[in-house]
Amino acid sequence: MIKKIFSILLVYASVFFGAESISSKHSLSILETSSTRSRGMMGTSFLIGNDSSAVFTSSASLMGVLRDSINLNYTITSSMKDEYIFNASYAHIGASYAFGIGFASEINKIYSYDSVYGIKKNDIYSGLYLINIGASYAINESSFIGANIKSVVNNSEKHNNFGLFFDLSYMQSIFTPSFKLGVGIKNFGFYDNVFAKIDTDITASLAYIKSDNSFSISAQYTISVPSVSHKVSLGIEAMIIDFNKLGLFKEKKAWYDDLPESILDAPSAVQKRLAQKLPSGILARAGIGNKGASLGLSIYVKLFRLDYAVIFDNFKKDNISHDIGMSFMF
């Protein structure tokens, strides 16, 4: 299965590597929607999604989410009075499947002026809106596959343009459950001339996630075609204060923990997931790549998480943004 996927990706990429005469094109920013946690690791969450925001990045990693969850995210840019970026998502996790839905918006205020007198006229709001629906399926305990369908509306004054895009993703545990390998194709589909400059992104990722979720490291490589641009990034997340080890929060035992094994059937995948201890504590993150660097911090308190990230896009001091996010599990 993995060999077949890599072969398809290799052929797909090789077609566009030879097209040097093609002018540079860049992906629509809203199609790169992610979470504060992911942005704090420079976008390296392809394999390590642990809340509903994974639907924006790689729906296959929804199977790694421990509970149903809701994620909210707001980005503060250098032009915060004229630019509003927000996203929200929800995910439901089953025994061998998961699905999620996400909404994202990016609204810009444009100042218009009278061409004759040069005086300010009414403000114009130009918006991008994304609805993303994704699902994943567990082929077995170590292999997951996912797919997304994304609709985008580009609204500018009286004009509305619509685009439809698809994602495919696959992840596989290797050696042990803690090591994961994944590949994916993002943003291919049907669109009009307004969306004709959208790149298709081909991503490969390798990650290590400690079983108690107290540490993870992820490397990610993306090639965008037909522009043939490259993105390489490395992200690290580590628990710096563990509330569970300090004994601040005590977890109840699962109902089957005290029963003799002889009278107990093996617990289901859902029961195992619900019995798994949730991380609680303060986590720090860092990420670096050829497109910039980032730092992040989170507070986990059982079913609630509060996130913060600062992103230095392209390493420019005048291109810094801040993300604030929160996640609820239930």
Side-chain angles (χ1 to χ4, degrees), residues 4-184:
K4 289 182 179 179
I5 292 175
F6 270 116
S7 298
I8 294 171
L9 296 180
L10 185 61
V11 171
Y12 191 85
S14 64
V15 171
F16 292 99
F17 267 121
E20 296 179 359
S21 60
I22 296 175
S23 60
S24 177
K25 298 178 181 180
H26 302 284
S27 294
L28 202 64
S29 57
I30 202 165
L31 292 174
E32 298 176 358
T33 299
S34 62
S35 66
T36 301
R37 175 176 176 263
S38 178
R39 291 194 19 107
M41 301 176 71
M42 209 54 206
T44 57
S45 63
F46 187 86
L47 291 172
I48 58 176
N50 63 4
D51 60 57
S52 60
S53 65
V55 73
F56 293 116
T57 308
S58 166
S59 60
S61 65
L62 282 172
M63 290 305 302
V65 181
L66 296 179
R67 304 281 198 281
D68 289 8
S69 72
I70 295 173
N71 185 270
L72 306 173
N73 189 81
Y74 185 74
T75 300
I76 303 170
T77 65
S78 55
S79 57
M80 61 175 294
K81 293 182 179 180
D82 305 321
E83 188 174 29
Y84 309 92
I85 302 173
F86 169 82
N87 72 65
S89 57
Y90 163 77
H92 170 70
I93 316 301
S96 60
Y97 71 93
F99 67 84
I101 183 169
F103 170 79
S105 64
E106 184 175 319
I107 303 171
N108 294 281
K109 185 165 68 173
I110 302 171
Y111 297 95
S112 60
Y113 293 87
D114 188 293
S115 58
V116 178
Y117 299 102
I119 59 175
K120 182 180 175 183
K121 295 166 64 177
N122 295 331
D123 296 334
I124 299 172
Y125 287 90
S126 176
L128 287 168
Y129 305 95
L130 167 73
I131 295 178
N132 187 338
I133 300 174
S136 62
Y137 174 72
I139 300 171
N140 52 50
E141 290 186 356
S142 59
S143 304
F144 311 124
I145 190 167
N148 292 58
I149 181 170
K150 301 181 288 188
S151 62
V152 181
V153 175
N154 184 354
N155 167 256
S156 179
E157 219 171 3
K158 297 180 180 180
H159 302 286
N160 290 289
N161 298 283
F162 175 77
L164 191 64
F165 300 89
F166 302 94
D167 296 349
L168 291 173
S169 54
Y170 174 80
M171 59 186 294
Q172 170 77 52
S173 295
I174 53 175
F175 308 126
T176 70
S178 296
F179 284 94
K180 299 183 186 297
L181 174 69
V183 292

Side-chain angles (χ1 to χ4, degrees), residues 203-220:
T203 297
S205 182
L206 180 67
Y208 169 79
I209 306 101
K210 198 172 179 181
S211 58
D212 61 358
N213 293 306
S214 62
F215 176 82
S216 64
I217 180 169
S218 178
Q220 195 163 307

Side-chain angles (χ1 to χ4, degrees), residues 240-284:
I240 53 178
I241 299 177
D242 192 330
F243 294 159
N244 288 330
K245 290 183 178 179
L246 293 175
L248 298 182
F249 302 104
K250 291 185 178 180
E251 296 285 341
K252 293 182 179 179
K253 288 186 176 182
W255 64 269
Y256 51 79
D257 282 349
D258 295 325
L259 295 177
E261 291 186 10
S262 59
I263 64 168
L264 180 67
D265 292 330
S268 67
V270 174
Q271 290 170 341
K272 288 180 180 179
R273 185 180 293 116
L274 293 175
Q276 191 168 336
K277 181 178 289 187
L278 295 168
S280 288
I282 299 175
L283 289 92

